[in-house]
Amino acid sequence: MPRSLSRRSVTGGLGAATLASPFFTFEGARAQGALLTRPIPHGNGETLPMIGLGTAVVFNVGTKPEERAGPTAVVRALVEGGATLVDTAPSYGQAQIVVGDILAATKLRPRAFVSTKLEEYRPGGEAAETRAALQQLQTDKVDLLQLHNVNKADQDMGGVNALKAQGLCRYTGISTTFERAYDAVEAVVKRAKPDFLEIDYAIDNRKAEDRLLPAALDSGTAVLVALPFGRGRLFRTALGKKLPEWASEFDCASWAQFFLKFVLGHPAITAAIPGTKQADHMIDNLGAARGRLPDAKQRARMIQYLETLN
Ligand SMILES: NC(=O)c1ccc[n+]([C@@H]2O[C@H](COP(=O)([O-])OP(=O)(O)OC[C@H]3O[C@@H](n4cnc5c(N)ncnc54)[C@H](OP(=O)(O)O)[C@@H]3O)[C@@H](O)[C@H]2O)c1
């Protein structure tokens, strides 16, 4: 994404001068107060800050210092801003290795909630894949281990739950971002009641609301929102458009916060994991988990407004 577009979307029409304000510094972000959290339903009272970080694509970089500088600053911004959740997968190119290296180099592993995924889950194969992931992440336990891209209604979670029992992860879950797999995923959520479901959901991609999010609420399954910006598509829709005045009613100061607060406003959502390689974007995104969230009426108005931009 061109730098100019990113900058514009950070300010959400507030003007470039806003970037120099304390709001867009670590200190300024901290001064905004604690992040909103939601409980992990199976977590015995444990809560998660409602914004985390996705690392697909953006953390798939090499080993040169100049390639690692952006991702490292993003992870620092995440933790400095009071958040914890970093989501990765072995299939995101080098991302899982980069996450492991950064958490080790910054010594931030104890302050992070690390989520990764199993790609080729099959009886007997999960343990080897998990140990490889732990090695890359330079940790002896991840916080969340999810079956990636589940697409079978009878998907068994016994293997991954056995890894939890062995202490290799704290929570287990499933993920998909394919609508054709939603029926299967719904069946697994209802039957296996996983700790977590990671699903694509965005203001212009609301299919998950029909049955998956209600099923997750019923099963006590925490929900992580993948692709909250539709891989950046939403910023292209909003390019050059002014944030509506009434966005201040729910403490929204940028387009990124507009899109994120929309998903966080749904009661089934535990946290969103927008991807970014830019620390100022990370700080902007964390702002979505501060102040008020839109209620149902405001969320309907947000959808209507976005539709006028198309
Ligand atoms: N099946 C699965 O389980 C599955 C599948 C896909 C994705 N995921 C998860 O979902 C995460 C998010 O997906 P994603 O990163 O592909 O898409 P996304 O979060 O919807 O969008 C990322 C894009 O938004 C831009 N962006 C981020 N913050 C911004 C801001 N404040 N202002 C302007 N632009 C901003 C990023 O550019 P900059 O880098 O320039 O900020 C990037 O181009 C992934 O990283 C992954 O963890 C899971």
Side-chain angles (χ1 to χ4, degrees):
M1 182 175 294
R3 186 76 181 157
S4 56
L5 170 54
S6 313
R7 287 269 157 177
R8 228 183 338 257
S9 49
V10 163
T11 58
L14 296 175
T18 314
L19 285 172
S21 80
F23 180 81
F24 288 99
T25 64
F26 291 167
E27 294 72 23
R30 263 201 305 270
Q32 305 283 314
L35 297 180
L36 298 172
T37 61
R38 283 223 172 116
I40 299 169
H42 296 171
N44 292 321
E46 181 175 350
T47 59
L48 258 188
M50 293 185 79
I51 291 291
L53 169 67
T55 63
V57 189
V58 288
F59 272 49
N60 182 19
V61 297
T63 53
K64 294 191 185 119
E66 60 270 30
E67 292 176 279
R68 295 291 179 96
T72 303
V74 167
V75 171
R76 284 191 190 282
L78 171 94
V79 176
E80 288 289 317
T84 58
L85 172 58
V86 181
D87 181 74
T88 192
S91 57
Y92 297 165
Q94 297 301 300
Q96 180 163 269
I97 294 169
V98 172
V99 168
D101 285 351
I102 289 173
L103 290 176
T106 57
K107 299 189 171 33
L108 289 176
R109 171 66 189 99
R111 294 172 66 185
F113 183 107
V114 176
S115 157
T116 193
K117 312 197 181 78
L118 291 178
E119 301 297 333
E120 295 185 33
Y121 36 94
R122 62 197 180 283
E126 289 109 331
E129 203 184 345
T130 302
R131 289 190 196 285
L134 294 178
Q135 198 175 13
Q136 291 192 337
L137 287 163
Q138 304 179 45
T139 188
D140 55 7
K141 179 187 262 196
V142 286
D143 297 280
L144 171 60
L145 190 58
Q146 305 189 84
L147 304 184
H148 203 183
N149 294 328
V150 162
N151 58 14
K152 292 189 180 66
D154 63 353
Q155 179 63 54
D156 180 39
M157 294 195 66
V160 70
N161 285 335
L163 299 173
K164 178 162 80 167
Q166 288 166 37
L168 300 186
C169 63
R170 298 199 304 123
Y171 297 102
T172 57
I174 60 174
S175 83
T176 190
T177 51
F178 296 104
E179 195 182 323
R180 62 179 180 272
Y182 278 16
D183 287 349
V185 165
E186 182 188 351
V188 179
V189 166
K190 287 181 168 166
R191 191 192 64 253
K193 302 190 188 333
D195 299 326
F196 278 82
L197 165 66
E198 183 170 322
I199 188 80
D200 57 313
Y201 180 47
I203 188 170
D204 66 346
N205 169 27
R206 304 188 300 278
K207 186 75 186 154
E209 285 177 355
D210 296 349
R211 295 194 348 228
L212 280 180
L213 298 185
L217 270 176
D218 282 352
S219 295
T221 296
V223 179
L224 302 183
V225 175
L227 309 178
F229 301 135
R231 296 193 161 95
R233 175 183 67 238
L234 284 167
F235 293 110
R236 290 188 283 280
T237 303
L239 180 61
K241 312 282 186 0
K242 206 171 162 320
L243 200 61
E245 297 282 331
W246 44 263
S248 63
E249 291 169 17
F250 43 89
D251 303 308
C252 172
S254 69
W255 276 115
Q257 293 175 17
F258 189 89
F259 302 137
L260 292 171
K261 279 181 181 267
F262 175 84
V263 298
L264 299 185
H266 192 291
I269 302 305
T270 311
I273 47 168
T276 183
K277 55 186 173 322
Q278 304 192 50
D280 59 351
H281 284 179
M282 187 71 248
I283 293 169
D284 182 21
N285 296 345
L286 290 174
R290 293 198 171 87
R292 292 163 289 185
L293 294 178
D295 60 22
K297 210 168 141 193
Q298 289 168 320
R299 294 177 82 240
R301 191 178 187 188
M302 294 167 89
I303 294 169
Q304 270 177 4
Y305 187 79
L306 194 76
E307 282 170 359
T308 68
L309 303 184
N310 281 318

